[in-house]
Amino acid sequence: MNVSNQKNLVNVTDTLRGRDFLSLHDYRRQEIEELLALARQLKALQKAGKPHSLLEGKTLGMIFTKSSTRTRVSFEVGMYQLGGHALFLSGQDIQIGRGEPIRDTARVLSRYVDGIMIRTFAHQDVVDLAQYAEVPVINGLTDLLHPCQVLADLLTIVEYKGRTEGLKFTYIGDGNNMAHEIMFGGAITGMDVVICTPEGYGPDQEIVRLATEDAQKNGGKITLLHDPVEAARGADVLYTDVWASMGQEEETAKRIKAFQGYQINESILQVAHKEAMVLHCLPAHRGEEITHEVMEGPQSAVFDQAENRLHAQKAIMAATM
C-alpha cells in the first residue's frame, strides 16, 4: 500500500484523531458512518493481503479486569495488522489491582503508550481513565455499554442490508449493556429499535431517554416491549445475548426462569421479515437465548459479526490513535 493511499484512509476520519471512544452516543451520525467506511476499507485491504500499517511504531495498552476471548484477540491482532503493538495488562499485572487510583494509572500509561483499551465492570472506571489519560481511551466493554461490539454489528448490518436507515432492529433478552448500546447505535443511524425484555429486566431509563433523543434527531425510533412475538414482527434484524452476563452467575437459575420464552427460535423467525438476519454478540448458550438450529441456520450472520469486531476496532484505533 503506497503512502498516498494510507493518507486517503486516515483523512476520512481526521476529525476523530485523539478522541476517546466510550460510547456511540458521543459520536455524530456522520462520524459513525465514517468509521464504518474506514472499517470496510481496512477489511478489503486485509482480505486482499495488502499492508495497511497506519499505526506503525505505536502501542496500545490493553487493560483487562474482565476476561475475554474476542476482545483480546481482535484488538491484539488488529494492532499487529496496523503495524503497531499491543500490551495485555490484566488486573493482576498493573497497580490498579493493588489499589492504585485510576487517575495515577492513566497518567503513567499515557507516558508509555499511544492509546488505552479497557474492558472492565464499572463504567465510571472508564470515564475516570479517559478524564485523566492524555491518549485516546477505548471502551472495550463495561457493565453499562459495549460500543466496539455495536460498531461491528452496524458494519455487519450494512454488509448484509446495504443500509441502516429505516430498518427494524429487534433485541430480545436482558436490558443490559448490549441493549443500551444497541439503542444508541440504532437510533443514531436511523433505525427503529425495539428492546424486548421480561418485566423487571428492562434497560436503564436514562439510557432510554438519551437514545430517544438520538432517534428523534436521526429519523429513528425506540420502543420498549415485553412480548417477543410482537417485538419480532416484521423485524429486519433479530439480536440476542446471554440471559446472565459475567458477574451475574449467582442469578443464573432465577434468570433462566424469568427469561423463558425470550428466545430467538424458528417461531420467532416466522414472524420476522422473511429476509431477517440473526445476530448474537457471543458467547452463546445454545438452547437458552437462541436455538442451535437458528444460530447455524441460513439467516445467521453471527460469525461474520464476530469477525467484524476485528475490522471495526481497527477503524477505531486508526482513527483515534
Side-chain angles (χ1 to χ4, degrees):
M1 178 178 179
N2 61 41
V3 174
S4 63
N5 282 342
Q6 290 198 28
K7 287 182 178 178
N8 287 339
L9 280 171
V10 175
N11 285 342
V12 171
T13 51
D14 267 350
T15 60
L16 305 183
R17 187 171 295 152
R19 293 267 298 274
D20 297 318
F21 190 79
L22 307 189
S23 172
L24 295 176
H25 176 68
D26 300 330
Y27 282 69
R28 294 180 291 111
R29 180 170 182 170
Q30 179 183 346
E31 293 169 334
I32 292 173
E33 289 174 348
E34 287 178 353
L35 282 172
L36 292 172
L38 180 57
R40 295 181 76 179
Q41 288 178 296
L42 294 173
K43 183 174 182 177
L45 289 169
Q46 190 256 329
K47 294 295 186 184
K50 296 181 179 179
H52 42 286
S53 302
L54 302 177
L55 297 181
E56 187 171 358
K58 297 202 172 188
T59 301
L60 175 74
M62 305 189 303
I63 299 174
F64 285 86
T65 63
K66 200 170 189 179
S67 61
S68 168
T69 301
R70 280 155 291 277
T71 299
R72 178 177 178 179
V73 174
S74 56
F75 270 105
E76 201 160 319
V77 171
M79 273 301 288
Y80 173 79
Q81 291 180 357
L82 289 169
H85 179 68
L87 291 170
F88 174 78
L89 305 168
S90 74
Q92 288 71 44
D93 294 326
I94 57 177
Q95 296 303 317
I96 286 178
R98 298 177 63 192
E100 181 177 68
I102 287 176
R103 65 179 66 186
D104 293 355
T105 298
R107 288 181 286 194
V108 170
L109 285 180
S110 295
R111 307 292 180 99
Y112 301 147
V113 301
D114 302 285
I116 302 169
M117 187 282 297
I118 179 169
R119 179 181 169 97
T120 190
F121 292 89
H123 189 72
Q124 189 60 46
D125 288 350
V126 179
V127 173
D128 291 345
L129 187 69
Q131 179 180 350
Y132 291 100
E134 297 176 4
V135 296
V137 171
I138 299 169
N139 176 9
L141 172 141
T142 67
D143 285 348
L144 186 69
L145 298 170
H146 199 353
C148 291
Q149 178 65 61
V150 175
L151 189 68
D153 300 338
L154 294 174
L155 176 60
T156 311
I157 291 167
V158 169
E159 287 178 340
Y160 272 72
K161 300 294 184 182
R163 73 188 202 283
T164 57
E165 188 81 33
L167 295 179
K168 181 177 178 179
F169 188 154
T170 293
Y171 170 90
I172 299 173
D174 187 24
N176 59 13
N177 52 3
M178 284 309 315
H180 294 160
E181 201 69 63
I182 284 168
M183 284 192 287
F184 282 149
I188 293 168
T189 57
M191 288 194 271
D192 292 342
V193 180
V194 178
I195 303 295
C196 180
T197 67
E199 294 276 2
Y201 292 92
D204 181 273
Q205 286 303 301
E206 178 61 12
I207 301 291
V208 174
R209 184 186 70 80
L210 293 172
T212 299
E213 291 179 357
D214 289 340
Q216 290 169 348
K217 295 174 186 175
N218 293 284
K221 185 169 65 174
I222 302 293
T223 303
L224 305 183
L225 295 174
H226 299 300
D227 182 345
V229 174
E230 181 183 355
R233 199 173 305 281
D236 300 287
V237 182
L238 290 170
Y239 201 117
T240 192
D241 189 13
V242 293
W243 292 340
S245 298
M246 193 178 300
Q248 298 174 330
E249 288 82 4
E250 73 282 357
E251 301 178 24
T252 298
K254 177 184 175 184
R255 284 173 169 267
I256 287 175
K257 183 177 180 180
F259 282 81
Q260 290 302 310
Y262 289 81
Q263 180 189 72
I264 295 184
N265 51 37
E266 289 293 345
S267 297
I268 289 294
L269 274 183
Q270 290 300 314
V271 300
H273 190 283
K274 64 180 181 179
E275 296 180 356
M277 62 188 295
V278 175
L279 298 177
H280 191 306
C281 54
L282 298 180
H285 293 168
R286 302 180 190 218
E288 291 184 9
E289 74 276 3
I290 190 169
T291 62
H292 174 82
E293 291 73 22
V294 169
M295 188 159 165
E296 296 292 345
Q299 291 173 262
S300 172
V302 168
F303 295 103
D304 289 336
Q305 172 193 9
E307 178 192 339
N308 279 337
R309 285 290 299 278
L310 171 66
H311 309 298
Q313 288 161 189
K314 283 168 66 177
I316 296 165
M317 292 187 288
T320 61
M321 293 171 62

